[in-house]
Amino acid sequence: MYLTDYPVQVSKSIAESEMGDAGHVKNTYFVRYFECARIQYLQRIGLNVLMTKTGIGVIVAQTICKYLKPLVYPDHITVGAKVKSTGKSSFVLEYSIFSVKNGLSATGEEVIVIYDYNNAKKTYLPLVIKEEIERIERKPQLDSEIS
């Protein structure tokens, strides 16, 4: 698994305030790092625009994180995101967190369900979004710093 495998990447410095009593970054921050990468990915495929225009958005149905190495302040990480698979009304985002100090530090997945907020039910993955996913998965992009 390499950072170059991920078409959407976000980078950030570990903040001292993210550390817990155990001397490493609190587990909940790993999921927040995934969230930052997810937001970038969803913006890239146009889901934020689609939500504004049509009420079609997403709901995170499941998050899984595998902690491989602790993250410790000070450090700098890059979170990679890519679509692992698509379904009729969902897709799976795969993540990896790479640390400057420790290399690959965590991996994870989220099941993202397409949701029609106007009718309060899941709906089909729009073709235009599926096409954007396919386009992005062919062309790696590096995002700026996240906070």
Side-chain angles (χ1 to χ4, degrees):
M1 195 170 311
Y2 301 98
L3 190 54
T4 55
D5 295 334
Y6 296 88
V8 173
Q9 302 171 15
V10 292
S11 296
K12 85 172 285 315
S13 293
I14 300 294
E16 189 172 10
S17 63
E18 296 170 347
M19 300 280 287
D21 293 337
H24 57 77
V25 171
K26 297 174 192 173
N27 292 1
T28 57
Y29 281 96
F30 286 72
V31 176
R32 288 183 184 181
Y33 303 152
F34 292 166
E35 178 184 38
C36 292
R38 178 179 70 248
I39 289 167
Q40 288 294 323
Y41 202 104
L42 297 179
Q43 287 176 343
R44 287 277 172 84
I45 63 175
L47 260 166
N48 55 334
V49 173
L50 184 67
M51 175 67 177
T52 302
K53 289 181 178 180
T54 68
I56 303 294
V58 299
I59 289 182
V60 177
Q62 180 180 35
T63 301
I64 298 169
C65 183
K66 184 174 181 182
Y67 304 95
L68 303 173
K69 297 176 186 171
L71 296 173
V72 179
Y73 171 85
D75 198 358
H76 191 85
I77 61 168
T78 301
V79 184
K82 67 179 178 178
V83 169
K84 179 180 179 180
S85 62
T86 59
K88 291 181 183 178
S89 61
S90 66
F91 57 94
V92 176
L93 272 173
E94 181 179 303
Y95 305 102
S96 287
I97 299 173
F98 295 89
S99 156
V100 169
K101 287 183 178 179
N102 295 326
L104 181 62
S105 298
T107 60
E109 290 185 359
E110 289 182 327
V111 176
I112 310 296
V113 175
I114 306 301
Y115 194 78
D116 180 346
Y117 283 88
N118 293 328
N119 295 301
K121 63 180 184 177
K122 74 177 182 178
T123 190
Y124 290 102
L125 178 63
L127 181 59
V128 66
I129 298 301
K130 189 171 184 176
E131 289 171 347
E132 279 301 300
I133 290 171
E134 291 169 357
R135 183 187 64 77
I136 286 171
E137 291 298 321
R138 288 191 301 263
K139 185 178 177 186
Q141 301 173 29
L142 180 62
D143 290 310
S144 59
E145 293 279 321
I146 58 175
S147 51

